[in-house]
């Protein structure tokens, strides 16, 4: 009867997961097969029509590419800066505790607040960034960070890297601290150089943590909404519109629940696929 | 996660019109078993009573996801001073109380907690009192409005008006109303409506038809713009409360230095700006700033150029944007930035506040903005005090100025339990006297024509009369139930056109195809 009781024990948790996680996903998928705009009294089943439309919806593909580009660039930069920060924070120096706390501040600031802050920093007329770059002579005229089609995406990435590098740093710092000091001592006794030590000891032992940071950050970056919503509103000319932002626009601003759900489901599938790839790669890493 | 779909399918399970924001009548029937938590909640705020709600309904109603990002509306009872929070997040509308918030956090770890938490009941009938709820956005200094409401209560003994203050963001207010009215909620009776929502709400059947109550006079005495916006299929669904329209701000000192009069046409504006910029040789000085970020504000500005050149957006169910006049207007906007450099590249990412700050720092000759900036520039200590001039927006040669209409109207909830009293309140708040008070105390430009020539008002608020021409000429954005969809389609296209990503022809042609696609959706 132990098996039965075990089932009973996990029942509440499974029920909760069913209610708060699985049901909405299934339901969103169900709605994505409808043309549904309750405000206009429109609600009927259209089958895969929405998906067919999705495939030729240029705004969807643009936001998809925007999101992929943003995720790729911001996550790689975050891991690099995170690693540098983690290595710095791992060394012992005076005031390390204070420094560690300071580094964490961007991560603690709510995204909407930091987005608003960056909006003013990057403002082409009053922004402090343009001012500083002009002062040190890197720029002759102010750059239009948020209103230029190529710069706007960089501005978004910059703000995201600033905000989430500490998160990567914390995970990597935890990894660094797990590496036993004896390994380093033994390597030094054997006459290994700093670069060799990093390559042969630090990097491989840190890899699992890198993968975790990568996984968390990619999934997060792929869902980017609030930063883009506040900082650029998806503009200029939709060059910074992310998938979530597009889905939000469809669902809650134009109230197209059917097609909006289709875009949301597509985003969900993309994220699912991404995590599947990561898990497979990660497994192979561990076993191979 | 499309919440409203979830809600509609769950509705039969829980009965009642809407389980999320129950109507007054249905929620009164829910019964109230006296449990310990019920007593405790009750003793905490004596003025509101608490009702029991089925645990499942409660658990689903407290969907954490939908409320995580939400802004809350605050419902305030002036007499008792009690407050409650209402979630207005995407697709939500859940009434939050301390008890539920606590429950919500526990819910994550355990299902057990969910069993029977309390829910606040919205109506308490003291003997013979009728409560009317007036939902509106946050006004700058609420005393003026509160004073009006108290006057209404004195005129109508036995009525208590409760103010429900919604978040400032127009999008969030729209979501709140849509969610509530989709569920035929009667938790508010009179509510403030943005000019662009009327058609959509009227078509959905959420607004009381006011035509009969207004009688033969209809909306005489109101400005033409808001009247057009409040009419759907020859019926009137809302009363104009106050108006707003784009106006031209200019540097009085600079214009008079060069002997220029405020420009009547856009070409003249551009010419004046170029001359001043060339002579001043100040790298910090910009010519003409306006809102060009990809958002609703860009639509307002672009329409001022298009309408000011005799163009329009819709022609029945077809788009009128392929018309040469519309194309010319958009090309002119692009050239202001790209060719003439009269407008700095900054405008392509600027919203109202960004332009207001730039002009406020004395760094622009001309600015297009709403009248709200006026009082801010006139404040003690503002560097621009006395240097700001205002004028009606220019147009193109041979056409009239066509500022975009903004502003708010009052509508009566079709599901209101007290339609007569609600109508009375809406009528009172949009009366000549009330609009005068709002104009004097808050600077809201009145929607009634006659007030612009009111001697007392002009004495206390000298900004009102100069706005008259702009308010009278103000033109609504496309008057259609599908406006919000059309706006969303136009925003990236206009943005692409002024950025030079697409040619104006291409952008407007793309926009036209999308608009026609949307308008074909209408099933009569």
């Amino acid at each position: 009867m132990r098996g039965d009781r075990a089932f009973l024990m996990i029942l509440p948790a499974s029920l909760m997961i069913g209610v708060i996680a699985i049901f909405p996903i299934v339901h969103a998928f169900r709605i994505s097969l409808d043309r549904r705009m309750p405000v206009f009294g429109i609600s009927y089943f259209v089958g895969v029509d929405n998906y067919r439309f999705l495939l030729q919806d240029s705004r969807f593909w643009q936001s998809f590419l925007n999101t992929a580009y943003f995720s790729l660039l911001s996550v790689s930069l975050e891991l690099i800066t995170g690693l540098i920060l983690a290595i710095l924070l791992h060394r012992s120096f005076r005031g390390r505790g204070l420094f560690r706390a300071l580094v964490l501040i961007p991560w603690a600031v709510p995204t909407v607040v930091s987005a608003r802050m960056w909006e003013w920093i990057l403002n082409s007329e009053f922004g402090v960034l343009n001012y500083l770059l002009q002062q040190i002579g890197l720029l002759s005229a102010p750059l239009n960070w948020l209103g230029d089609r190529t710069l706007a995406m960089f501005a978004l990435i910059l703000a995201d890297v600033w905000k989430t590098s500490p998160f990567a740093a914390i995970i990597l710092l935890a990894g660094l601290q797990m590496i036993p000091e004896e390994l380093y001592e033994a390597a030094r006794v054997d006459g290994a150089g700093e670069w060799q030590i990093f390559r042969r000891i630090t990097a491989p032992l840190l890899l699992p943590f890198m993968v975790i940071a990568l996984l968390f950050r990619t999934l997060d970056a792929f869902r980017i909404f609030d930063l883009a919503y506040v900082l650029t509103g998806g503009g200029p000319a939709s060059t910074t519109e992310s998938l979530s932002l597009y889905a939000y626009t469809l669902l809650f601003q134009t109230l197209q629940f059917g097609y909006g759900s289709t875009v949301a489901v597509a985003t969900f599938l993309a994220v699912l696929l991404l995590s599947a790839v990561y898990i497979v790669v990660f497994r192979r890493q561990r076993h191979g | 996660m499309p919440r409203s779909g979830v809600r509609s399918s769950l509705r039969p399970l829980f009965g009642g019109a809407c389980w999320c924001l129950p109507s007054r009548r249905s929620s009164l029937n829910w019964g109230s078993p006296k449990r310990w938590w019920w007593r405790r909640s009750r003793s905490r705020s004596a003025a509101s009573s608490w009702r029991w709600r089925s645990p499942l309904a409660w658990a689903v109603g407290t969907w954490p996801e939908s409320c995580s990002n939400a802004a809350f509306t605050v419902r305030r009872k002036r007499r008792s001073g009690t407050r409650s929070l209402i979630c207005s997040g995407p697709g939500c509308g859940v009434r939050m109380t301390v008890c539920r918030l606590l429950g919500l956090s526990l819910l994550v770890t355990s299902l057990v907690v969910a069993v029977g938490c309390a829910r606040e009941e919205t109506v308490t009938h003291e003997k013979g009192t009728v409560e009317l709820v007036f939902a509106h956005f946050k006004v700058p200094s609420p005393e003026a409005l509160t004073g009006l409401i108290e006057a209404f209560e004195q005129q109508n003994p036995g009525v208590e008006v409760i103010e429900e203050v919604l978040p400032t963001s127009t999008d969030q207010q729209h979501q709140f109303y849509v969610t509530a009215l989709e569920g035929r909620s009667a938790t508010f009776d009179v509510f403030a409506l943005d000019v662009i929502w009327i058609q959509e709400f009227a078509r959905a059947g959420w607004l009381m038809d006011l035509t009969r109550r207004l009688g033969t006079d209809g909306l005489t005495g109101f400005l033409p713009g808001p009247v057009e916006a409040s009419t759907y299929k020859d019926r009137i669904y809302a009363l104009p409360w106050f108006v707003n329209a784009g106006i031209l701000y200019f540097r009085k000192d600079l214009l008079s230095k060069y002997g220029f009069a405020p420009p009547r046409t856009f070409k003249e504006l551009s010419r004046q700006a170029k001359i001043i910029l060339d002579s001043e040789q100040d790298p910090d000085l910009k010519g003409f700033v306006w809102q060009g970020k990809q958002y609703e504000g860009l639509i307002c500005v672009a329409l001022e150029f298009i309408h000011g050149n005799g163009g329009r957006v819709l022609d029945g169910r077809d788009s009128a944007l392929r018309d040469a006049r519309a194309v010319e207007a958009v090309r002119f906007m692009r050239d202001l930035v790209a060719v003439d450099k009269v407008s700095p590249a900054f405008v392509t990412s600027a919203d109202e506040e960004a332009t207001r700050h730039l002009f406020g720092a004395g760094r622009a000759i001309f600015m297009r903005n709403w009248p709200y900036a006026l009082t801010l520039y006139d404040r003690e200590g503002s560097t621009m005090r006395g240097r700001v001039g205002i004028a009606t927006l220019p147009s193109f040669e041979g056409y009239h100025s066509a500022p975009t209409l903004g502003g708010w109207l009052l509508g009566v909830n079709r599901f209101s339990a007290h339609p007569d009293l609600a109508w009375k309140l809406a009528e009172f708040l949009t009366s000549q006297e009330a609009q005068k008070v709002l104009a004097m105390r808050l600077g809201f430009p009145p929607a009634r024509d006659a007030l612009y020539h009111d001697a007392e008002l002009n004495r206390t608020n000298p900004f009102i009369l100069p706005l008259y021409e702009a308010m009278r000429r103000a033109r609504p954005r496309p008057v259609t139930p599908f406006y919000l969809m059309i706006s969303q389609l136009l925003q990236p296209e206009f943005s692409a056109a002024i950025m030079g990503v697409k040619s104006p022809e291409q952008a407007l042609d793309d926009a036209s195809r999308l608009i026609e696609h949307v308008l074909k959706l209408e099933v009569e």
Side-chain angles (χ1 to χ4, degrees), chain B residues 250-268:
Chain B
F250 59 86
R251 281 276 301 274
K252 242 195 305 197
D253 50 341
L254 278 177
L255 254 64
S256 62
K257 183 173 164 193
Y258 291 86
F260 291 142
R264 307 291 299 173
T265 66
F266 283 117
K267 296 236 163 73
E268 199 184 333

Side-chain angles (χ1 to χ4, degrees), chain B residues 170-475:
Chain B
T170 316
D171 288 346
Q172 284 175 353
Q173 290 173 42
H174 182 255
Q175 274 164 21
F176 172 80
Y177 289 132
V178 169
T179 317
L181 293 169
E182 254 288 288
R184 306 168 78 86
S185 166
T187 47
F188 51 89
D189 303 283
V190 178
F191 59 125
L193 292 149
D194 195 330
V195 279
I196 54 179
W197 306 337
I198 314 280
Q199 313 291 317
E200 182 187 331
F201 286 14
R203 188 187 184 282
W206 297 339
L207 292 171
M208 192 167 86
D209 183 349
L210 307 175
T211 326
R212 194 179 48 80
R213 290 176 192 263
L214 279 162
T216 46
D217 281 352
L219 289 175
T220 41
F222 287 96
L223 296 167
V227 171
E228 189 188 342
S230 64
T231 312
Y232 175 68
K233 294 197 168 163
D234 298 323
R235 316 289 296 174
I236 297 161
Y237 288 91
L239 296 170
W241 198 25
F242 66 90
V243 287
N244 226 337
I247 53 170
L248 182 74
Y249 291 75
F250 59 86
R251 281 276 301 274
K252 242 195 305 197
D253 50 341
L254 278 177
L255 254 64
S256 62
K257 183 173 164 193
Y258 291 86
F260 291 142
R264 307 291 299 173
T265 66
F266 283 117
K267 296 236 163 73
E268 199 184 333
L269 181 148
S270 170
R271 191 181 58 87
Q272 292 184 356
K274 260 188 257 177
I275 293 173
I276 297 177
L277 285 176
D278 284 346
S279 322
E280 289 286 314
Q281 288 298 331
D282 175 359
D284 273 349
L285 190 69
K286 313 287 170 191
F288 178 32
V289 292
W290 37 276
Q291 296 83 42
K293 182 179 167 176
Q294 181 176 326
Y295 80 122
E296 182 65 28
L298 173 60
I299 305 291
C300 297
V301 178
L303 287 181
E304 282 160 358
F305 282 88
I306 293 173
H307 289 159
N309 197 24
R312 50 196 177 136
V313 176
L314 294 182
D315 180 11
R317 285 204 189 180
D318 292 317
S319 158
L321 286 173
R322 292 190 189 92
D323 186 279
R325 286 167 294 187
V327 175
E328 193 198 335
V330 175
R331 183 178 302 120
F332 185 84
M333 286 174 81
R334 185 199 64 187
D335 290 350
L336 277 178
V337 186
V339 181
D340 303 329
K341 316 266 183 212
V342 162
S343 298
F346 159 76
V347 296
T348 56
S349 63
D351 59 9
E352 282 93 352
E353 283 296 275
T355 46
R356 180 176 74 82
H357 283 287
L358 190 79
F359 187 81
R363 294 184 46 196
I365 308 167
F366 296 106
M367 170 177 73
R368 180 267 173 215
N369 211 330
W370 306 94
Y372 81 99
L374 213 50
T375 33
L376 298 171
Y377 291 146
D378 194 54
R379 268 188 199 155
E380 207 79 49
S382 157
T383 46
M384 289 305 285
R385 204 167 187 211
R387 292 158 72 197
V388 181
I390 56 163
T392 312
L393 278 173
S395 62
F396 287 88
E397 208 87 43
Y399 297 100
H400 280 303
S401 158
T404 295
L405 177 78
W408 292 78
L409 297 93
L410 296 186
V412 176
N413 183 349
R414 239 269 306 274
F415 313 109
S416 165
H418 313 286
D420 293 315
L421 280 171
W423 154 254
K424 253 183 150 171
L425 177 64
E427 199 187 19
F428 176 84
L429 288 172
T430 54
S431 65
Q432 185 111 350
E433 297 70 33
Q435 294 202 358
K436 186 169 164 179
V437 171
L438 293 176
M440 286 206 289
R441 302 277 305 278
L442 302 174
F444 287 176
R448 284 177 181 269
D449 202 307
L451 281 173
Y452 288 89
H453 305 287
D454 185 280
E456 191 192 352
L457 179 56
N458 276 303
R459 209 170 38 247
T460 55
N461 194 336
F463 297 133
I464 293 293
L465 187 60
L467 295 175
Y468 179 59
E469 182 68 9
M471 300 301 153
R472 198 172 62 85
R473 293 228 173 262
R475 281 193 43 189

Side-chain angles (χ1 to χ4, degrees), chain B residues 38-284:
Chain B
W38 183 83
R39 283 162 183 272
R40 254 173 76 173
S41 318
R42 190 177 167 86
S43 65
R44 216 174 284 157
S45 74
S48 52
S49 61
W50 297 72
R51 307 267 161 188
W52 184 85
R53 194 161 178 245
S54 94
L56 191 53
W58 185 85
V60 182
T62 331
W63 215 276
E65 198 179 339
S66 63
C67 293
S68 59
N69 255 332
F72 292 92
T73 77
V74 183
R75 180 174 289 214
R76 185 182 61 214
K77 294 193 176 189
R78 274 175 301 108
R79 287 188 188 163
S80 54
T82 52
R83 279 159 187 266
S84 57
L85 290 175
I86 299 168
C87 167
S88 64
C92 197
V94 177
R95 195 164 299 275
M96 282 287 185
T97 61
V98 178
C99 171
R100 303 187 94 213
L101 283 168
L102 186 72
L104 178 63
S105 50
L106 292 172
L107 187 70
V108 182
T109 47
S110 149
L111 182 72
V112 191
V113 187
V115 180
C117 192
R119 177 183 180 81
E120 193 199 5
E121 177 51 49
T122 46
V123 223
T124 13
H125 287 280
E126 290 165 34
K127 272 206 180 82
T129 353
V130 175
E131 285 188 352
L132 278 182
V133 177
F134 174 35
H136 58 81
F137 56 93
K138 196 172 176 202
V139 291
S141 44
E143 315 84 59
L145 191 56
T146 311
L148 281 174
I149 286 169
E150 271 159 13
F152 177 78
E153 286 173 341
Q154 265 163 21
Q155 282 177 25
N156 298 274
V159 177
E160 186 189 351
V161 179
I162 296 166
E163 286 178 70
E164 180 157 349
V165 182
L166 270 57
T168 333
S169 148
T170 316
D171 288 346
Q172 284 175 353
Q173 290 173 42
H174 182 255
Q175 274 164 21
F176 172 80
Y177 289 132
V178 169
T179 317
L181 293 169
E182 254 288 288
R184 306 168 78 86
S185 166
T187 47
F188 51 89
D189 303 283
V190 178
F191 59 125
L193 292 149
D194 195 330
V195 279
I196 54 179
W197 306 337
I198 314 280
Q199 313 291 317
E200 182 187 331
F201 286 14
R203 188 187 184 282
W206 297 339
L207 292 171
M208 192 167 86
D209 183 349
L210 307 175
T211 326
R212 194 179 48 80
R213 290 176 192 263
L214 279 162
T216 46
D217 281 352
L219 289 175
T220 41
F222 287 96
L223 296 167
V227 171
E228 189 188 342
S230 64
T231 312
Y232 175 68
K233 294 197 168 163
D234 298 323
R235 316 289 296 174
I236 297 161
Y237 288 91
L239 296 170
W241 198 25
F242 66 90
V243 287
N244 226 337
I247 53 170
L248 182 74
Y249 291 75
F250 59 86
R251 281 276 301 274
K252 242 195 305 197
D253 50 341
L254 278 177
L255 254 64
S256 62
K257 183 173 164 193
Y258 291 86
F260 291 142
R264 307 291 299 173
T265 66
F266 283 117
K267 296 236 163 73
E268 199 184 333
L269 181 148
S270 170
R271 191 181 58 87
Q272 292 184 356
K274 260 188 257 177
I275 293 173
I276 297 177
L277 285 176
D278 284 346
S279 322
E280 289 286 314
Q281 288 298 331
D282 175 359
D284 273 349

Side-chain angles (χ1 to χ4, degrees), chain A residues 72-180:
Chain A
L72 187 76
L73 234 68
S74 65
V75 172
S76 358
L77 285 173
E78 274 153 32
L79 288 187
I80 295 168
T81 40
L83 183 65
I84 295 169
L85 278 176
I87 290 172
L88 289 179
L89 290 177
H90 189 54
R91 307 194 162 193
S92 49
F93 53 88
R94 271 174 66 121
R96 183 169 74 162
L98 183 73
F99 194 64
R100 278 185 183 173
L102 283 179
V103 164
L104 260 185
I105 285 178
W107 177 246
V109 175
T111 316
V112 175
V113 176
S114 68
R116 198 56 92 194
M117 195 179 83
W118 278 99
E119 192 188 348
W120 284 108
I121 292 177
L122 296 167
N123 185 302
S124 64
E125 293 302 324
F126 312 101
V128 71
L129 186 68
N130 273 333
Y131 175 77
L132 288 177
L133 290 177
Q134 277 175 298
Q135 286 297 308
I136 59 172
L138 272 177
L139 281 183
S140 54
L143 280 178
N144 189 15
W145 291 99
L146 298 175
D148 185 280
R149 51 201 275 231
T150 42
L151 286 179
M153 182 54 94
F154 282 113
L156 210 61
I157 291 170
L158 178 68
D160 197 58
V161 168
W162 176 81
K163 184 178 160 50
T164 42
S165 291
F167 176 72
I170 287 296
I171 293 182
L172 296 178
L173 183 62
L176 282 178
Q177 290 184 334
M178 299 278 280
I179 302 174

